[in-house]
């Protein structure tokens, strides 16, 4: 069936189909092996100042691991609710790990209901509990835990590589972020978006318009598409999947760090493909008690100070409380 038969989009949900010449593909292999951080950093500087998004290739994560993790995601979301709901995120306390059902999280509350379900895990640090730390909840699926754990390890390594490039792009030491990430908060999320049909408006889409929380997001998306990014002119543009790459976008703490020189950009998901969409965003943060404040080099007479210092954990929890109904009620 054609998309026109499946869905009739409100005009405000239409995105332009473009080649994304303005969002470059950055090769990070030179950062990984230490041979050339500067070339990638220059590309990152332009991308993050103008779009807040980039594709990265040369990341070194095996395709077999990515494919296996997507397969694990499809297996999990195919389980009946009676199996998924006992793993609900509310059962993990402040660790905030587990399953969230359709409409259980709303990223643009009051405007959009999020037509998605998700499953979150994180790094388990021995003896460390509290907000965003604790034990994962695992489904009884063969190989699921091992696959997701290996993928999260790969995302941490990729995050450290990308953040080296971002640091160099800001004329900082390449290990600037590493110093704030001794026990980083890492949330690996699996997402499932049912396709929508009929008359569709902004009141219910895959994910409502939002910026991400923390430092950055590393996203693996399948070939279905549906991710939309707002450009500087306020137009929604499709972030079409490119094989062999991750989509990386900076989050609000990097925008604060750069005093708005880098843009944590609005994005959303509208799935009218007629197919199930799966994606795997990894949300990357500093240590829970790390403090982020604008860099002195980013505060000038032309760009006066905008932000006060924030503690990463408290900032992240305040953002979560605005999107998860069970936290807002506490």
């Amino acid at each position: 069936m054609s998309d026109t038969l499946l869905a009739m989009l409100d005009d405000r949900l239409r995105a332009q189909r473009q080649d994304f010449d303005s969002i470059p593909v950055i090769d990070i292999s030179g950062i990984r092996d230490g041979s050339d951080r500067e070339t990638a950093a220059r590309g990152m500087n332009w991308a993050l100042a103008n779009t807040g998004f980039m594709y990265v290739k040369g990341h070194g994560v095996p395709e077999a691991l990515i494919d296996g993790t997507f397969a694990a995601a499809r297996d999990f979301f195919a389980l009946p609710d009676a199996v998924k709901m006992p793993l609900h995120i509310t059962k993990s306390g402040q660790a905030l790990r587990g399953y969230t059902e359709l409409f259980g999280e709303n990223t643009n509350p009051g405007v959009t209901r999020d037509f998605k379900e998700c499953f979150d895990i994180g790094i388990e640090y021995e003896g460390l509990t509290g907000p965003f730390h604790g034990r994962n909840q695992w489904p009884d699926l063969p190989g699921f835990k091992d696959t997701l754990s290996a993928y999260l390890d790969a995302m941490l390594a990729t995050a450290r590589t990308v953040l080296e490039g971002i640091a160099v792009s800001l004329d900082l030491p390449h290990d600037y972020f590493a110093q704030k990430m001794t026990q980083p908060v890492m949330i690996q999320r699996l997402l499932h978006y049912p396709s929508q049909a009929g008359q569709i408006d902004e009141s219910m889409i895959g994910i409502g318009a939002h910026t991400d929380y923390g430092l950055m997001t590393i996203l693996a998306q399948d070939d279905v598409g549906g991710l939309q990014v707002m450009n500087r002119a306020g137009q929604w543009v499709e972030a079409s999947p490119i094989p062999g790459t991750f989509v990386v976008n900076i989050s609000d703490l990097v925008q604060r760090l750069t005093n708005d020189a880098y843009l944590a950009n609005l994005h959303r998901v509208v799935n009218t493909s007629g197919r199930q969409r799966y994606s795997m965003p990894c949300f990357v943060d500093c240590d829970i008690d790390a403090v982020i404040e604008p860099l002195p080099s980013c505060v000038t007479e032309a760009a006066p100070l905008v932000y006060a210092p924030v503690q990463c954990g408290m900032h992240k929890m305040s953002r979560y409380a605005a999107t998860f109904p069970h936290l807002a009620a506490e």
Side-chain angles (χ1 to χ4, degrees):
M1 299 175 73
S2 70
D3 284 2
T4 55
L5 292 177
L6 288 166
M8 293 173 287
L9 284 177
D10 185 288
D11 286 344
R12 291 170 296 179
L13 294 180
R14 297 188 183 278
Q16 298 183 51
R17 296 185 182 274
Q18 297 182 359
D19 291 333
F20 270 85
D21 291 337
S22 60
I23 297 183
V25 179
I26 308 293
D27 187 344
I28 62 172
S29 58
I31 307 175
R32 286 176 53 226
D33 63 19
S35 64
D36 181 9
R37 296 186 181 95
E38 287 70 23
T39 298
R42 285 194 296 272
M44 290 180 181
N45 182 279
W46 188 94
L48 301 181
N50 289 280
T51 72
F53 276 72
M54 58 188 172
Y55 297 97
V56 298
K57 67 177 184 178
H59 47 71
V61 181
E63 281 297 317
L65 177 57
I66 299 171
D67 292 344
T69 311
F70 270 118
R74 290 190 291 270
D75 289 344
F76 174 77
F77 290 119
L79 294 171
D81 288 347
V83 176
K84 293 182 289 190
M85 288 302 288
L87 303 173
H88 199 269
I89 193 169
T90 56
K91 299 181 184 298
S92 70
Q94 290 187 315
L96 292 167
R97 298 176 183 186
Y99 174 66
T100 304
E101 74 281 17
L102 293 174
F103 310 121
E105 178 197 34
N106 291 294
T107 52
N108 193 7
V111 177
T112 301
R113 299 176 71 211
D114 287 358
F115 193 44
K116 70 180 193 302
E117 55 179 339
C118 47
F119 182 78
D120 293 348
I121 67 163
I123 300 174
E124 295 183 351
Y125 299 105
E126 190 64 35
L128 184 56
T129 59
F132 307 106
H133 289 300
R135 310 302 294 180
N136 292 312
Q137 302 188 82
W138 296 107
D140 185 15
L141 282 173
F144 186 90
K145 179 179 179 180
D146 289 344
T147 299
L148 265 291
S149 298
Y151 188 78
L152 179 55
D153 288 344
M155 289 299 98
L156 178 57
T158 302
R160 293 192 186 282
T161 299
V162 174
L163 287 168
E164 280 194 35
I166 293 176
V168 174
S169 80
L170 294 167
D171 294 323
L172 297 169
H174 70 88
D175 62 349
Y176 174 85
F177 290 102
Q179 299 171 37
K180 297 178 179 292
M181 297 177 67
T182 59
Q183 292 179 309
V185 175
M186 298 279 293
I187 299 175
Q188 179 58 59
R189 171 167 285 190
L190 307 179
L191 278 165
H192 168 228
Y193 302 90
S195 184
Q196 291 182 255
Q199 186 70 42
I200 300 170
D201 61 27
E202 201 173 5
S203 64
M204 189 180 77
I205 56 176
I207 292 182
H210 67 287
T211 58
D212 286 348
Y213 328 145
L215 287 180
M216 70 177 184
T217 302
I218 305 172
L219 173 72
Q221 54 178 337
D222 64 13
D223 63 354
V224 172
L227 175 62
Q228 300 180 358
V229 179
M230 181 173 283
N231 65 20
R232 288 284 193 177
Q235 301 168 317
W236 289 104
V237 180
E238 289 194 6
S240 303
I242 298 178
T245 71
F246 294 120
V247 176
V248 173
N249 62 280
I250 58 168
S251 304
D252 50 12
L253 287 184
V254 174
Q255 180 164 329
R256 297 178 76 102
L257 179 74
T258 62
N259 201 43
D260 288 344
Y262 283 2
L263 174 68
N265 206 352
L266 282 169
H267 52 286
R268 65 187 183 186
V269 171
V270 184
N271 181 20
T272 59
S273 65
R275 299 165 56 193
Q276 307 297 305
R277 179 182 191 266
Y278 299 88
S279 70
M280 304 187 305
C282 184
F283 304 115
V284 180
D285 292 89
C286 296
D287 297 338
I288 204 82
D289 59 354
V291 174
I292 295 292
E293 58 186 317
L295 296 166
S297 60
C298 293
V299 180
T300 65
E301 184 175 346
L305 181 68
V306 178
Y307 300 106
V310 294
Q311 188 183 61
C312 293
M314 292 180 63
H315 174 76
K316 189 175 184 70
M317 184 57 75
S318 70
R319 294 292 307 269
Y320 262 64
T323 60
F324 279 96
H326 77 278
L327 292 176
E330 291 180 359

